[in-house]
Amino acid sequence: MTRKLWGRASSVNVQKALWALDELELPYEHIEAGGAHGVVGDTAYRAMNPNGLVPTLEEDDFVLWESNAILRYLAHAHGGPLALPEAPRARALVDQWLDWQATAFTPAMRDAFLQLVRVAPENRDPRVIEASRASSERCAALLDGHLANTLCVAGESFSIADIAVGLAAHRWFQLPLEREERPNIRRWLGMLAQRPASSAVLSLPLT
């Protein structure tokens, strides 16, 4: 099987797929795409992913985009350390936290990230940053409270939900702004950092 992952490693969504592939110890070719790397506007790439976004996973003649869909596919197809729970309710909790990351936590911090990382200091809008910070703090408080009573995000075992939410939380703590300390998130992120497959993506700077 020929397996390729398209997308720049600086993208938090691409990092999800990189981490998952490394957890599974699957062979793959990583092709940088998006941002300064270009590629995503090319006709051949748009034929695979009409959104022109990253990541895109290509396995022989099978193509899949959307980062959380890629996580679910890898978990379904390969199991191993990413094996999904068999019980419907336990599996639903994994889906719940995957959706929360995509629809709540990451959107909340998006403007703060763009302003503080991608926008020159003289062009930043403090009101936009503060609104994003406040929204992100509400998400962080929710997550910290949840992790006070569970080892991992979706229960007592590591899952693809920990990859998605963990990368979002890691990015939140890297942003250069004031925030409340969240001891339960810190404990959990420390545990995730001990997983060998996480090291390559958790060590990357924000760009």
Side-chain angles (χ1 to χ4, degrees), residues 16 68 95-108 139:
K16 296 177 194 177
N68 286 354
D95 284 332
Q96 170 186 273
W97 287 102
L98 287 171
D99 289 352
W100 180 81
Q101 172 271 312
T103 63
F105 199 11
T106 294
C139 290

Side-chain angles (χ1 to χ4, degrees), residues 57-109:
L57 178 68
E58 183 183 8
E59 288 187 344
D60 293 335
D61 60 351
F62 175 67
V63 174
L64 184 66
W65 35 266
E66 287 297 324
S67 59
N68 286 354
I70 291 172
L71 287 179
R72 288 184 176 99
Y73 166 71
L74 292 173
H76 280 298
H78 301 282
L82 302 185
L84 293 168
E86 293 186 7
R89 291 180 180 179
R91 185 172 295 197
L93 290 176
V94 174
D95 284 332
Q96 170 186 273
W97 287 102
L98 287 171
D99 289 352
W100 180 81
Q101 172 271 312
T103 63
F105 199 11
T106 294
M109 77 176 80

Side-chain angles (χ1 to χ4, degrees), residues 14 23 44 54 67 75 100 114-115 127 168 178 180 192:
V14 175
E23 282 282 348
V54 293
S67 59
W100 180 81
L114 292 175
Q115 290 280 317
R127 294 170 298 178
E178 291 187 6
E180 294 289 330
L192 295 182

